[in-house]
Amino acid sequence: MTAWEIFCQGRYLANRTKKLWFLLWLMNALLAAVAALPVFGVLNAELKNSLMAASLADRFSLDFAGEFAFKYWDSLPSALILIAALGMVYVVLTLLTTGGTLAVFSCTERRFTAPVFFKGCGTYFWRFFRLLIVAAIFYGIFVVALNGVLSSLVNKLTRPWTQQRLVLLVSWTRLLVVAFVFIVVNMVFDYAKVRLVIDEGRSAVMAALRSIKFVFRNFKKTLAVFVFCMLLGLLFIVIYNPLEHVLPQHTRRWIIVVFVLQQLFILARTYVRLTFFSSEVLLYESLRPSHAPAQEAPAAVPTTFEAGSSPSSPSASWTPPPGEAPAIDPTI
Amino acid sequence: MKKTLLMILSVWVGLLSAISLAPAALSQQVVQYQIAARLDPQAKAVVGSETLTWLNPSSDEVRELQFHLYLNAFKNEKSTFMRESGGQLRGDQAEEGKWGYIDVQSIKLDSGYDLKPSMKFLHPDDDNADDQTVMVATLPEPVRPNGTITLKIDFYSKLPRVFARTGYFGNFYMVGQWFPKIGVYESSGMRYATRGQWNCHQFHATSEFYADYGAYHVDLTVPSNYVVGATGVEQGNHPNKDGTTTHTFVQEDVHDFAWTADPTYIRMERLFDASRLTTAAEISDVARLVGRSPEDVSLQNVRMILLIHPEHAAQADRHFRALEYGLKYFGLWYGRYPYPTITVVDPAYKAGGAAGMEYPTLFTAGTGWLPSSPPSGLEEVVIHEFGHQYWYGMVGSNEFEESWLDEGFNTYSTSQVIDTAYGPSSLSIPFMGIPFSWFISSIKYFEDTVNRLETLGSTRRDYIVRNAWEYYDQTSYGVNSYPRTAATLRTLQHLVGDQTFARIMRTYFERWRFKHPTSNDFRAIVNEVAGRDMKWFFDQLVYSSNILDYAVDKVSSERPKLSLGLFDDPSGKRKEVTEDDRKKQEKEAADSKKRNDSLFESEVIVRRLGGVVVPVDVRVVFENGEQFDTTFDGQYRWTRYKFLKPTKIRYAEVDPEHRLLVDVNLANNSRTLETHHRAVVKWTSKFMFWIQNLLMSLMALV
Ligand SMILES: [Zn+2]
């Protein structure tokens, strides 16, 4: 199967797990609401009886923002601690739900069911936790340290340069290199998670090392799937941002409309994240070393899939039912 | 060398005779500098010889001469400048091993008397015996009142790598504060002097300069491939046999001389054509505003010279346009720019320490390869540094002691020019050198907003007026000297009215150009032009660190309740009013038919939360559109207004015209009876959305 086919099927799988979307969205929204609550309280105290509220409802006010920042500057550390604490809770919840998500995408039915999801959450939590520590080391070495080293090299190299243009070009190149390495590390640890679930492995280090091998052995495909998913995310940003910009936001109705739009955007991001996982599961299944590549095993391809029915066995190249299958064209 | 000197001398004599034939000088020519300087690109140094004629402007006999040796600030870490700055200025780190200094190799009277044996360093501002930025030489005989003295000084100036205004980077040279420069002798009664004394401060991290006006004639010898720019008019240049060229610059009525050289400069020249760039209507409008004749207000042509690096050549138009706006509005509002030239220098990349600095008829701008859309930092720097031609350039206040008179006045004026010429600016936060204002239309703001916001944090630490090196810290110096002054002047403008303030500023410029005013002189002009004593304003907002904050503390509108108890009617009958009667009355009042007849007891409480006492306008607006305007004198901490009207209050507001720009809290300036949740919900949901996105991004990492 081509990377595009994998991506299309991944999208299809992600589409079918709406309960999962909702669950992940709810998790995100509830935590963010906890952070927003004190902000609501403070803004309400500042503005509920002020004329400034009227102008702020229409547009951003630098006067108010600056004043607000100045007044609450001392509260910034507590706010940051709260956000960091919420972030940590979110990380734990994500570790839990990722296990469930991958279990859903790799199970026989490839459909969200509570038992499969919650069993997955519990089963893989500690493995993913260990993997997170390994990932932190990798990100530390390959992204943060690399960025530091490259920065100082660039600084040293460009020190005598007298043209900003050249210095900026080199800096941008550095940024691209670091971004690319970041993507690779990110991919490696996504596949390490997939591997832990599908192959029922236990060692986080082994999973990471094998995942590196997997990613580089199939680099074109893994990268292509990643890029497709990323572009899907970009597409949502490109749709959302101008829309948010042109919509009026000064009446109650429009404020609600924009709020709904914002939540739809978060749902879309959730969908993109799920597409990452589902596509990666599909790609891993189709390419994993213990299985023959899909293209070489046409016999294993089931031709139909009916909603509600289960395919006889999880397949390395699962295909959506006719009519529901997305169009497939470019070949990677 | 001898031949060159002879030639210079003859040019100098010619020039002096020309001066005597020319119209009277604009300033009292206290100093006459004739300098011959040679750039040594290998040593990154300037070898110079200076003939200085100093006029004793006082009625005192002056027995010693004091000089600034500014470059010694960069000599070592023990200089006062380095101790105060920690080796840093404007975010630039001084490069280790790239020190700068100035050696006075010889100092003699024209009689040949050697002053060097009497030479020693002074440190009038602190006890730093290691500071060598002020030098004194004792004279064998005093200079008599209105007498002159001529000295010949040979010096060697080793330039630092650019980090604080002056120095080199590669082949770029910005040469400022580079020659032995005589201080200002202040006789008793001049400025704050109680007796005749030299005003010659050490070079501090936060201080700038102070000097007397005079004439400069400078010969600059540099390698022939270098493009040169300098204070004044280039009178000519001639190549020498050794591959160098000598450029001669002259200028009268200036108090400093700076120059720049770089082989990669592109030199452009355009004419500020006064008749093309100002209309008759504009001139008559301004003439009316400032109370002068159109002839007084009209401008003159100026040669604009731009020395720009090739990487920024595409931005030449923006530099010229900003400069034109500066020449136009400063000229119209305060008085015409009197010099024939103005030179804008675009510093080399990585020589940012030299950017944004002003010298007479020459200043440095500052831009990047990818500037934000106008008006951005580029325009702001050009207009601001040009503005210094007025504030400190022509109105020669003491930057060491009263930095608000130059930086603050100039921040005020710059803001007015930018807002008038360009309209609101866009907030632009560049990332990796890319200005995002290119892609997304960002937040627009006027300069008043920024000046006010920048003031919020540091008002409490210092008064506006203070010796530059004695502020709480560098931030406090910056805030008080720049935006706080701008916001304070704007507040003063609102209090006295636009026309009066325009006349105050014009009178201040006209009366004090080419002189050395103090804060008191400005205050006197405010009182004179405004026709009232504004001491209270200066005491509270300039010579104080108190904050200004008025708030509407309470707004209420309620129907009066029926009083309970026993009441005697005129016939002597006693009647009891009970809870039931009150309820009945309330029900009747709530009845829509009678609603219009019932009265509301309304109350507004205005509080002064800050220490600054200023009369403040108070406006109460009722639901039926009725408006009540009054003024709260602010003498006591609060005041209460009561109303009995058939309508409720909609809102109450202090300072409804936003005249008090220095009010630190605008959110509490108004209070509405109804609560508004739209803005709160909108911005809370936006905040929540940002957090949601942050969490989503975190998810991708886990
Ligand atoms: Zn300035």
Side-chain angles (χ1 to χ4, degrees):
Chain A
M1 259 204 301
T2 63
W4 179 255
E5 284 167 335
I6 296 275
F7 168 67
C8 292
Q9 290 185 14
R11 256 170 43 215
Y12 176 76
L13 272 193
N15 261 329
R16 285 165 23 108
T17 52
K18 301 226 167 48
K19 281 182 191 154
L20 198 52
W21 288 22
F22 180 74
L23 193 77
L24 295 179
W25 167 79
L26 193 69
M27 185 174 102
N28 173 288
L30 283 178
L31 278 178
V34 172
L37 216 58
V39 173
F40 178 82
V42 171
L43 282 179
N44 202 38
E46 286 279 328
L47 289 172
K48 71 171 191 281
N49 286 107
S50 173
L51 281 179
M52 205 173 229
S55 70
L56 260 176
D58 291 345
R59 74 195 76 85
F60 178 81
S61 155
L62 197 59
D63 257 316
F64 179 75
E67 218 177 87
F68 187 82
F70 169 62
K71 267 188 252 177
Y72 294 96
W73 191 252
D74 293 341
S75 314
L76 187 66
S78 346
L80 290 178
I81 288 169
L82 173 69
I83 291 171
L86 288 172
M88 268 186 240
V89 173
Y90 192 71
V91 165
V92 172
L93 290 175
T94 303
L95 284 178
L96 274 170
T97 53
T98 303
T101 305
L102 290 173
V104 165
F105 286 137
S106 58
C107 77
T108 321
E109 294 191 8
R110 301 189 193 272
R111 186 179 278 282
F112 179 85
T113 54
V116 172
F117 176 75
F118 288 111
K119 186 166 174 277
C121 291
T123 309
Y124 303 110
F125 177 78
W126 287 110
R127 293 176 216 185
F128 284 3
F129 182 76
R130 291 195 297 273
L131 192 65
L132 181 66
I133 294 168
V134 180
I137 296 168
F138 268 72
Y139 278 118
I141 294 172
F142 289 102
V143 181
V144 181
L146 176 76
N147 187 39
V149 169
L150 285 182
S151 285
S152 69
L153 275 178
V154 165
N155 283 348
K156 218 168 257 174
L157 174 75
T158 60
R159 196 153 186 76
W161 293 11
T162 50
Q163 285 186 50
Q164 191 189 14
R165 192 182 55 223
L166 299 178
V167 176
L168 280 180
L169 288 175
V170 171
S171 303
W172 294 340
T173 311
R174 185 205 91 213
L175 197 71
L176 285 178
V177 168
V178 173
F180 183 74
V181 172
F182 174 85
I183 285 174
V184 172
V185 174
N186 199 265
M187 272 197 311
V188 163
F189 283 91
D190 269 6
Y191 284 105
K193 274 172 255 171
V194 170
R195 184 176 199 102
L196 282 176
V197 172
I198 292 180
D199 294 348
E200 283 295 333
R202 290 199 163 271
S203 162
V205 178
M206 283 312 288
L209 292 176
R210 291 210 172 118
S211 173
I212 294 172
K213 204 167 141 192
F214 174 79
V215 166
F216 281 101
R217 191 169 275 176
N218 308 290
F219 195 64
K220 261 165 108 176
K221 270 196 173 175
T222 48
L223 185 67
V225 166
F226 194 97
V227 169
F228 288 146
C229 294
M230 213 167 67
L231 289 177
L232 182 66
L234 271 178
L235 178 73
F236 286 124
I237 292 175
V238 167
I239 294 170
Y240 171 80
N241 273 333
L243 202 61
E244 199 242 2
H245 205 76
V246 294
L247 287 181
Q249 294 176 48
H250 54 276
T251 65
R252 187 163 305 170
R253 189 174 305 161
W254 280 114
I255 288 169
I256 292 168
V257 167
V258 171
F259 179 74
V260 170
L261 194 70
Q262 286 169 343
Q263 297 315 310
L264 285 176
F265 179 72
I266 296 297
L267 271 174
R269 282 193 71 172
T270 312
Y271 167 65
V272 172
R273 187 65 190 139
L274 290 176
T275 305
F276 264 104
F277 279 139
S278 57
S279 306
E280 283 162 353
V281 166
L282 291 173
L283 183 68
Y284 183 75
E285 284 179 346
S286 74
L287 294 175
R288 69 178 154 164
S290 53
H291 289 236
Q295 289 85 338
E296 291 161 28
V301 182
T303 50
T304 57
F305 178 90
E306 278 167 37
S309 76
S310 311
S312 53
S313 66
S315 161
S317 56
W318 175 87
T319 319
E324 286 185 76
I328 293 165
D329 33 30
T331 305
I332 297 284
Chain B
M1 186 73 188
K2 217 172 183 181
K3 200 175 151 195
T4 318
L5 271 175
L6 267 174
M7 203 168 68
I8 290 164
L9 213 64
S10 61
V11 170
W12 183 234
V13 170
L15 182 83
L16 285 179
S17 52
I19 287 170
S20 61
L21 292 172
L26 298 166
S27 63
Q28 185 187 17
Q29 312 261 313
V30 176
V31 292
Q32 309 269 351
Y33 284 96
Q34 185 189 1
I35 304 175
R38 172 178 285 267
L39 176 70
D40 180 346
Q42 268 70 48
K44 307 291 180 196
V46 176
V47 186
S49 101
E50 155 185 333
T51 304
L52 165 64
T53 301
W54 181 73
L55 165 78
N56 177 1
S58 73
S59 51
D60 306 330
E61 294 201 326
V62 177
R63 293 169 189 280
E64 60 173 38
L65 302 176
Q66 291 189 13
F67 293 86
H68 293 284
L69 302 177
Y70 289 118
L71 279 185
N72 283 341
F74 315 120
K75 193 169 181 179
N76 54 50
E77 285 183 339
K78 288 190 165 182
S79 75
T80 290
F81 185 102
M82 288 299 190
R83 283 183 181 185
E84 289 173 351
S85 68
Q88 267 192 315
L89 187 76
R90 301 172 174 196
D92 285 328
Q93 193 76 36
E95 281 253 312
E96 219 177 308
K98 309 275 178 162
W99 305 106
Y101 58 86
I102 177 167
D103 281 339
V104 174
Q105 294 165 324
S106 122
I107 174 165
K108 289 178 179 167
L109 298 183
D110 53 356
S111 63
Y113 182 86
D114 191 358
L115 292 176
K116 204 167 179 199
S118 76
M119 207 179 95
K120 60 180 190 229
F121 296 112
L122 294 182
H123 33 90
D125 301 334
D126 59 17
D127 292 328
N128 183 6
D130 296 309
D131 191 70
Q132 300 183 343
T133 57
V134 175
M135 172 190 99
V136 63
T138 308
L139 299 171
E141 278 174 36
V143 190
R144 279 197 290 276
N146 296 314
T148 60
I149 186 167
T150 299
L151 302 115
K152 168 98 170 50
I153 306 170
D154 293 330
F155 61 93
Y156 180 87
S157 295
K158 164 74 182 73
L159 300 171
R161 185 184 184 276
V162 165
F163 95 106
R165 302 182 183 91
T166 186
Y168 71 92
F169 180 75
N171 289 325
F172 164 79
Y173 293 87
M174 183 62 230
V175 191
Q177 299 89 43
W178 58 288
F179 59 95
K181 193 169 175 192
I182 197 157
V184 177
Y185 187 84
E186 296 185 336
S187 54
S188 174
M190 177 185 167
R191 294 181 68 259
Y192 300 109
T194 49
R195 58 184 173 82
Q197 62 192 30
W198 282 98
N199 191 302
C200 194
H201 291 289
Q202 292 160 255
F203 198 5
H204 296 272
T206 48
S207 74
E208 292 192 286
F209 314 104
Y210 178 46
D212 264 320
Y213 291 91
Y216 284 80
H217 179 283
V218 181
D219 294 305
L220 300 169
T221 301
V222 299
S224 294
N225 60 329
Y226 277 63
V227 180
V228 178
T231 293
V233 179
E234 183 166 6
Q235 278 216 324
N237 56 69
H238 61 87
N240 305 309
K241 281 184 185 146
D242 59 357
T244 62
T245 299
T246 301
H247 304 257
T248 302
F249 288 86
V250 294
Q251 187 61 57
E252 275 184 69
D253 303 311
V254 291
H255 52 43
D256 200 1
F257 186 98
W259 57 283
T260 182
D262 189 330
T264 60
Y265 276 142
I266 299 171
R267 187 183 190 280
M268 300 182 190
E269 191 175 321
R270 290 186 195 170
L271 183 72
F272 174 83
D273 185 346
S275 59
R276 189 177 59 81
L277 291 163
T278 49
T279 64
E282 276 174 323
I283 288 174
S284 68
D285 281 353
V286 174
R288 228 184 344 265
L289 181 73
V290 297
R292 305 289 186 274
S293 70
E295 293 71 47
D296 282 343
V297 168
S298 65
L299 306 180
Q300 68 182 33
N301 292 353
V302 180
R303 273 170 55 211
M304 303 184 292
I305 299 159
L306 173 64
L307 302 178
I308 196 163
H309 281 91
E311 198 173 51
H312 305 147
Q315 300 168 43
D317 280 342
R318 283 180 64 172
H319 282 80
F320 278 118
R321 192 164 309 127
L323 180 57
E324 282 170 357
Y325 283 134
L327 279 159
K328 174 176 170 175
Y329 289 110
F330 275 84
L332 287 175
W333 294 339
Y334 310 127
R336 74 177 64 93
Y337 179 79
Y339 305 106
T341 63
I342 179 78
T343 301
V344 186
V345 176
D346 169 45
Y349 173 56
K350 287 187 180 162
M357 182 53 201
E358 67 280 7
Y359 300 96
T361 79
L362 175 145
F363 64 86
T364 59
T367 187
W369 176 44
L370 303 173
S372 304
S373 327
S376 72
L378 186 168
E379 283 76 15
E380 183 151 0
V381 174
V382 169
I383 294 170
H384 180 91
E385 304 315 329
F386 171 76
H388 277 301
Q389 300 303 318
Y390 285 71
W391 312 127
Y392 182 58
M394 286 182 269
V395 177
S397 51
N398 187 328
E399 293 187 307
F400 289 94
E401 296 174 5
E402 293 173 300
S403 50
W404 80 300
L405 290 179
D406 54 285
E407 293 302 354
F409 276 50
N410 196 26
T411 305
Y412 165 83
S413 306
T414 306
S415 299
Q416 304 311 306
V417 173
I418 288 177
D419 287 351
T420 306
Y422 293 95
S425 307
S426 295
L427 196 68
S428 180
I429 302 160
F431 175 70
M432 297 288 294
I434 303 170
F436 280 88
S437 59
W438 285 7
F439 312 109
I440 41 173
S441 65
S442 60
I443 300 152
K444 299 263 181 196
Y445 63 87
F446 282 102
E447 296 289 308
D448 273 353
T449 300
V450 176
N451 290 335
R452 174 180 169 267
L453 290 179
E454 285 179 350
T455 303
L456 289 180
S458 295
T459 309
R460 292 172 179 86
R461 295 209 180 112
D462 281 299
Y463 300 173
I464 286 184
V465 188
R466 197 155 171 74
N467 285 331
W469 64 96
E470 287 179 342
Y471 285 92
Y472 179 86
D473 55 19
Q474 291 197 23
T475 307
S476 187
Y477 155 77
V479 169
N480 281 287
S481 304
Y482 292 74
R484 187 179 166 201
T485 299
T488 304
L489 289 178
R490 192 84 164 125
T491 302
L492 181 60
Q493 175 182 351
H494 291 153
L495 290 174
V496 299
D498 289 350
Q499 191 186 69
T500 304
F501 195 72
R503 291 176 183 195
I504 286 171
M505 293 298 275
R506 186 155 190 120
T507 308
Y508 175 60
F509 174 75
E510 286 173 346
R511 200 169 295 171
W512 286 101
R513 64 184 144 191
F514 307 112
K515 298 192 184 94
H516 304 303
T518 64
S519 306
N520 291 341
D521 297 317
F522 176 67
R523 194 168 71 182
I525 284 177
V526 171
N527 291 345
E528 175 193 320
V529 179
R532 52 184 153 139
D533 188 359
M534 297 297 287
K535 183 173 181 292
W536 61 271
F537 180 90
F538 285 87
D539 286 350
Q540 297 198 76
L541 287 163
V542 178
Y543 297 99
S544 153
S545 57
N546 285 339
I547 58 163
L548 192 158
D549 186 13
Y550 281 95
V552 177
D553 202 45
K554 185 189 170 191
V555 168
S556 66
S557 282
E558 274 163 19
R559 289 197 183 87
K561 282 186 174 174
L562 202 60
S563 306
L564 305 182
L566 299 170
F567 296 90
D568 300 331
D569 69 12
S571 64
K573 259 187 163 181
R574 182 161 293 175
K575 191 181 173 255
E576 183 177 0
V577 178
T578 64
E579 265 307 334
D580 284 348
D581 296 324
R582 180 185 270 181
K583 276 181 190 151
K584 197 174 150 205
Q585 184 253 13
E586 277 171 8
K587 195 165 173 283
E588 278 174 6
D591 180 357
S592 61
K593 260 189 181 173
K594 293 183 180 173
R595 180 170 281 239
N596 292 337
D597 309 332
S598 67
L599 292 171
F600 288 92
E601 270 179 356
S602 299
E603 187 177 288
V604 172
I605 296 181
V606 173
R607 282 178 69 190
R608 172 170 63 78
L609 302 177
V612 174
V613 181
V614 185
V616 64
D617 296 334
V618 178
R619 176 170 294 164
V620 182
V621 174
F622 294 87
E623 279 191 338
N624 65 356
E626 223 178 292
Q627 187 174 306
F628 169 80
D629 285 304
T630 186
T631 303
F632 169 43
D633 64 11
Q635 291 300 324
Y636 191 57
R637 279 285 180 174
W638 61 272
T639 189
R640 190 196 313 268
Y641 303 98
K642 287 191 169 189
F643 308 91
L644 191 64
K645 283 177 184 289
T647 176
K648 282 192 199 176
I649 288 178
R650 203 145 68 97
Y651 67 86
E653 189 175 16
V654 289
D655 190 26
E657 309 295 337
H658 305 295
R659 302 193 315 155
L660 305 175
L661 196 66
V662 287
D663 189 323
V664 296
N665 190 339
L666 293 184
N668 69 11
N669 276 19
S670 59
R671 209 165 169 87
T672 57
L673 204 57
E674 263 184 48
T675 51
H676 302 280
H677 293 294
R678 275 183 303 132
V680 178
V681 170
K682 176 180 164 178
W683 290 101
T684 306
S685 69
K686 267 194 196 295
F687 175 75
M688 179 172 153
F689 181 56
W690 295 330
I691 297 290
Q692 282 183 284
N693 278 296
L694 191 75
L695 293 178
M696 285 305 304
S697 304
L698 197 62
M699 184 185 239
L701 284 173
V702 176

